[in-house]
């Protein structure tokens, strides 16, 4: 084999033949040839595998499309086995029915024998890199059908004591082989949630059943009903995963944990509360693999984005992001900090809880029980010589005053408020007890936002909206068609890709209120939110509904979506 590899290297130039000869003579008989060469610092994994493929007359795959992996392989070979040995089965050969098995270690003949026994098929080898194979494994096993209904039937005889022994620090949801039924059930519920891009999983007990519900793109869907008897098992399993007390059933509890889906790491924030029919659990899913959005990906209209981007270069002042729970405020703040993150600035955040880790930024977790509130943390942060401070939420007068005073001493401060629109944030601050002169001199902008669902690109089709719908959105039919690119309005018909909802993914709609001299004067005089909003509109501000209308005309979302999340513009 050594001689064959040397001849192939000389013929093809895939690796330097002299370096290969020298390395082979020095390595002697240290192990199997493929393992020795793959650990060699002189050659890349890609080059070594191509050399083996050329020498042995095998196929080398630079990528493995998900459609190539047959169901026979996924159903017969456990995900953990494929992951551990870096192998994946692809297409069946038409002439002889052979299964092509892609390996990352070309000379490991035992693996081929084992896969042949598991699948009951003749096999033929091919090679690819570990990264390519791992990606194919994750995609292939994510496509497998879940077996929630079957597993639920096995649970009647399940012993609760088994749960404690079975939990790991970071469970792989693909690993369901030989696991107790309750663990397989909870894993499958989470697995299906990730398939559907759900942000939350609800286990809701009723008198006669348990309803499993998923929140997908902000909307709750009932996906599964289970027998009422399995509630203690499911709740106990969830508590064990999240490190909570399974014996405590009369008090609310919070916990968190991580699970894996192949190579994807997913954080879960778990909350349980007692109800009249038993404990209810909600799991918030934070998928680390999605990463943090950039400002350009949030869906801001170009003119708003330019203005907001210019605010990030300001040396001091307060920027508030407002909206109800689940409107994407944290995502906007993270995107803003990501844009700011540089070696020239000291950026510190105070959060409850820390949702995503940001590189190069110091993040502080609030711990109210230990006396570490937003206000006390902010007081200490000011001694850390920060340039930019992010306060997760302004909940009280002390935090509001500290945030505003921080901006007056030369810091750029970001925070969030729970108000319906941008002008309402000013009224909220004054109601909390912030002095008008402090608010008017420190505020530089308020960004109100909502999330609307995007029309599914796979099943998007034109339709004729009702006249009252257009007028409710603030559009006149004739002028709307002129402003619209192709004169058409769109909605999603529903398909498999969007799970027959007509929507896939979400985008933001925004209302950016810039604090100019006129509005500063109005804040100082404590004028109403309505008066401030009128002045902002005269200055060119677009309301949430106006921005939604722009996105309807651009074919991004539907009229009904914008009407669902926004209020009528009454000024």
């Amino acid at each position: 084999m050594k001689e064959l590899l040397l001849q192939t290297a000389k013929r093809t130039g895939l690796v330097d033949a002299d370096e290969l000869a020298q390395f082979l003579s020095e390595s002697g008989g240290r192990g199997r040839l493929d393992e020795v060469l793959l650990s060699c610092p002189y050659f890349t994994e890609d080059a070594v595998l191509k050399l083996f493929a050329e020498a042995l007359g095998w196929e080398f795959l630079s990528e493995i499309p998900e459609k190539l992996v047959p169901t026979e392989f996924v159903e017969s070979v456990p995900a953990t086995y494929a992951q551990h040995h870096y192998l994946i089965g692809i297409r069946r050969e038409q002439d002889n029915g052979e299964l092509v098995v892609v390996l990352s270690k070309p000379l490991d003949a035992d693996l081929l024998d084992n896969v042949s026994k598991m699948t009951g098929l003749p096999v033929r080898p091919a090679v690819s890199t570990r990264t390519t194979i791992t990606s194919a494994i994750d995609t292939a096993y994510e496509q497998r059908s879940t077996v929630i209904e079957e597993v639920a039937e096995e649970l009647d005889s399940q012993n609760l004591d088994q749960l404690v022994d079975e939990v790991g620090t970071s469970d792989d949801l693909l690993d369901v082989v030989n696991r107790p039924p309750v663990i397989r059930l909870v894993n499958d519920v989470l697995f299906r949630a990730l398939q559907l891009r759900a942000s939350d999983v609800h286990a809701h007990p009723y008198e006669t059943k348990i309803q499993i519900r998923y929140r997908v793109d902000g909307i709750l869907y009932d996906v599964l009903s289970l027998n009422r008897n399995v509630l203690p098992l499911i709740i106990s399993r969830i508590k064990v995963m999240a490190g909570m007390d399974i014996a405590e059933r009369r008090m609310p509890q919070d916990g968190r944990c991580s699970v894996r889906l192949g190579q994807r790491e997913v954080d879960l924030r778990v909350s349980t509360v007692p109800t009249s029919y038993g404990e209810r659990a909600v799991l918030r899913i934070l998928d680390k693999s999605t990463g943090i959005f950039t400002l350009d990906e949030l869906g801001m209209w170009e003119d708003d984005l330019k203005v907001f981007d210019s605010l990030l270069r300001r040396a001091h002042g307060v920027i508030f992001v407002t909206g109800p729970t689940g409107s994407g405020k944290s995502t906007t703040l993270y995107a803003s900090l990501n844009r700011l993150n540089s070696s020239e600035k000291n950026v510190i955040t105070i959060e409850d809880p820390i949702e995503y880790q940001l590189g190069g930024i110091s993040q502080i977790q609030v711990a109210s029980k230990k006396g570490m509130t937003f206000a006390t943390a902010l007081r200490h942060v000011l001694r850390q010589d920060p340039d930019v401070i992010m306060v997760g939420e302004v909940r009280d007068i002390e935090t509001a005053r500290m945030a505003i005073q921080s901006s007056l001493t030369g810091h750029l401060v970001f925070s969030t408020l729970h108000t319906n629109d941008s002008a309402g944030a000013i009224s909220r601050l004054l109601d909390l007890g912030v002095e008008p002169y402090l608010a008017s001199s420190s505020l530089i902008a308020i960004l109100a936002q909502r999330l609307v669902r995007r029309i599914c690109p796979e099943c998007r089709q034109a339709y004729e909206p009702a006249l009252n719908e257009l007028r409710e959105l603030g559009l006149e039919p004739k002028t709307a068609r002129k402003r619209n690119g192709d004169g058409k309005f769109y909605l999603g018909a529903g398909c498999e890709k969007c799970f027959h909802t007509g929507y896939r993914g979400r985008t933001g709609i925004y209302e950016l209120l810039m604090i100019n001299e006129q509005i500063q004067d109005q804040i100082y005089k404590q004028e109403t939110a309505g008066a401030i909003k009128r002045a902002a509109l005269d200055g060119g501000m677009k309301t949430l509904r106006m921005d939604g209308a722009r996105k309807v005309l651009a074919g991004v979302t539907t009229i009904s979506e914008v009407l669902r999340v926004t209020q009528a513009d009454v000024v």
Side-chain angles (χ1 to χ4, degrees):
M1 177 55 73
K2 287 182 181 179
E3 193 58 40
L4 180 59
L5 290 174
L6 283 169
Q7 290 175 3
T8 306
K10 289 175 183 174
R11 177 168 53 84
T12 61
L14 287 166
V15 300
D16 187 286
D18 294 333
E19 279 190 359
L20 178 62
Q22 184 181 346
F23 179 75
L24 290 174
S25 64
E26 289 173 356
S27 60
R30 286 190 308 193
R32 209 175 63 216
L33 187 56
D34 56 346
E35 292 179 338
V36 170
L37 277 177
L38 286 167
S39 65
C40 172
Y42 306 150
F43 315 120
T44 64
E45 180 189 23
D46 193 70
V48 170
L49 291 174
K50 283 179 178 175
L51 183 69
F52 271 103
E54 187 69 31
L56 297 168
W58 294 353
E59 185 180 5
F60 176 86
L61 291 97
S62 55
E63 59 179 34
I64 304 172
E66 60 186 71
K67 294 177 183 176
L68 287 183
V69 183
T71 54
E72 297 101 312
F73 181 87
V74 176
E75 290 170 358
S76 306
V77 179
T80 46
Y81 186 84
Q83 288 168 337
H84 181 71
H85 295 291
Y86 294 102
L87 59 87
I88 187 79
I90 57 171
R91 63 184 181 273
R92 296 276 304 279
E93 296 294 343
Q94 292 182 351
D95 51 352
N96 54 15
E98 281 184 332
L99 175 72
V100 178
V101 178
V102 187
L103 306 168
S104 64
K105 293 180 180 177
L107 302 183
D108 198 340
D110 290 343
L111 294 180
L112 291 173
D113 292 340
N114 291 341
V115 172
S116 181
K117 287 172 186 173
M118 289 179 195
T119 58
L121 297 169
V123 296
R124 183 164 66 80
V127 288
S128 187
T129 62
R130 287 185 296 178
T131 304
T132 304
I133 292 171
T134 298
S135 176
I137 290 169
D138 290 351
T139 306
Y141 282 86
E142 280 186 42
Q143 302 300 327
R144 88 196 198 295
S145 59
T146 55
V147 289
I148 293 177
E149 291 81 359
E150 296 171 22
V151 175
E153 294 172 6
E154 300 177 37
L155 280 170
D156 292 336
S157 59
Q158 175 67 43
N159 182 356
L160 267 178
D161 295 335
Q162 283 181 273
L163 292 165
V164 181
D165 301 325
E166 286 293 333
V167 69
T169 53
S170 183
D171 271 0
D172 190 341
L173 301 183
L174 299 178
D175 180 14
V176 294
V177 181
N178 300 324
R179 306 302 295 271
V182 68
I183 293 178
R184 290 162 54 202
L185 174 66
V186 174
N187 280 10
D188 269 333
V189 167
L190 292 173
F191 173 78
R192 186 180 286 186
L194 287 164
Q195 275 190 317
L196 297 178
R197 300 175 290 103
S199 61
D200 299 85
V201 179
H202 294 233
H204 192 166
Y206 291 93
E207 188 175 6
T208 58
K209 65 178 181 179
I210 306 165
Q211 190 68 53
I212 304 294
R213 312 170 85 192
Y214 294 156
R215 189 178 292 281
V216 182
D217 293 335
I219 307 294
L220 268 175
Y221 296 96
D222 291 345
V223 292
L224 180 68
S225 290
L226 297 172
N227 190 305
R228 176 79 178 71
N229 299 334
V230 304
L231 177 66
L233 299 166
I234 291 173
I235 298 297
S236 294
R237 169 59 182 163
I238 290 169
K239 284 181 176 179
V240 169
M241 288 174 70
M244 295 151 72
D245 182 0
I246 65 170
E248 179 56 75
R249 297 178 184 174
R250 294 174 296 175
M251 295 291 290
Q253 292 189 64
D254 294 311
R256 62 189 307 158
C257 62
S258 292
V259 295
R260 284 181 297 113
L261 183 63
Q263 299 301 305
R264 281 164 67 188
E265 190 81 18
V266 179
D267 277 349
L268 301 177
R269 289 216 311 267
V270 182
S271 170
T272 63
V273 293
T275 71
S276 55
Y277 294 118
E279 284 186 284
R280 173 188 174 132
V282 175
L283 295 84
R284 167 65 59 88
I285 298 171
L286 300 169
D287 190 349
K288 292 179 180 177
S289 67
T290 57
I292 295 165
F293 288 95
T294 64
L295 273 180
D296 305 318
E297 296 170 328
L298 296 180
M300 274 191 205
W301 210 255
E302 204 169 317
D303 51 355
D304 283 343
L305 182 59
K306 282 180 182 174
V307 175
F308 191 74
D309 209 13
S310 68
L311 294 174
L312 303 182
R313 293 191 287 274
R314 299 279 281 268
H316 56 84
V318 181
I319 300 171
F320 277 111
V321 181
T322 77
T325 302
S327 59
K329 300 187 296 295
S330 297
T331 302
T332 301
L333 287 178
Y334 278 131
S336 304
L337 293 178
N338 227 22
R339 180 71 66 98
L340 280 169
N341 184 13
S342 71
S343 55
E344 297 172 2
K345 290 190 176 172
N346 180 18
V347 184
I348 302 179
T349 74
I350 307 165
E351 303 175 60
D352 183 24
I354 297 170
E355 293 188 13
Y356 290 98
Q357 296 293 336
L358 293 164
I361 289 177
S362 300
Q363 295 172 270
I364 298 170
Q365 169 75 56
V366 168
S368 300
K369 290 178 183 176
K370 297 177 182 176
M372 180 77 150
T373 63
F374 279 114
T376 53
L378 184 50
R379 191 174 289 112
H380 291 286
V381 159
L382 290 171
R383 297 173 194 149
Q384 293 285 316
D385 185 31
D387 296 298
V388 180
I389 305 168
M390 191 267 269
V391 181
E393 186 183 341
V394 167
R395 299 172 180 169
D396 52 50
I397 178 60
E398 193 182 1
T399 311
R401 277 199 181 125
M402 284 292 299
I404 284 170
Q405 285 167 358
S406 302
S407 73
L408 295 174
T409 53
H411 305 93
L412 185 62
V413 180
F414 293 89
S415 191
T416 68
L417 274 171
H418 288 281
T419 60
N420 287 328
D421 61 3
S422 52
I426 296 166
S427 299
R428 172 78 176 133
L429 282 175
L430 299 180
D431 288 344
L432 280 174
V434 175
E435 291 79 0
Y437 73 91
L438 282 177
S440 65
S441 57
S442 61
L443 286 173
I444 56 175
I446 299 167
L447 181 72
Q449 68 177 77
R450 298 290 187 279
L451 291 176
V452 292
R453 292 180 291 172
R454 286 176 170 273
I455 300 170
C456 174
E458 303 293 328
C459 59
R460 191 176 88 144
Q461 61 183 34
Y463 87 113
E464 193 64 39
L467 293 179
N468 64 317
E469 276 187 313
L470 287 170
R471 291 201 174 102
E472 200 175 343
L473 195 61
L475 297 171
E476 283 299 323
K478 288 183 181 178
T479 54
R481 295 199 181 284
K482 287 178 183 175
R483 287 165 58 195
N484 198 343
D486 55 7
K488 294 178 181 177
F489 293 86
Y490 294 93
L491 54 71
C495 63
E496 286 187 10
K497 292 274 187 183
C498 63
F499 308 104
H500 303 284
T501 61
Y503 298 99
R504 192 174 179 195
R506 289 188 288 180
T507 190
I509 56 173
Y510 299 92
E511 177 180 298
L512 182 58
L513 170 60
M514 297 295 295
I515 309 297
N516 55 29
E517 286 185 18
Q518 182 187 358
I519 291 174
Q520 278 182 333
D521 191 46
Q522 288 178 311
I523 296 171
Y524 186 73
K525 292 176 181 174
Q526 298 187 53
E527 293 196 20
T528 63
I532 292 171
K533 189 171 185 176
R534 278 193 294 274
L537 286 169
D538 292 340
M541 182 186 84
K542 293 282 188 292
T543 65
L544 287 166
R545 188 160 280 196
M546 290 174 185
D547 192 45
R550 290 196 288 193
K551 291 185 168 71
V552 168
L553 294 172
V556 174
T557 189
T558 62
I559 295 173
S560 60
E561 266 298 283
V562 176
L563 296 179
R564 179 178 68 84
V565 301
T566 61
Q567 297 175 328
D569 292 326
V570 180
V571 289

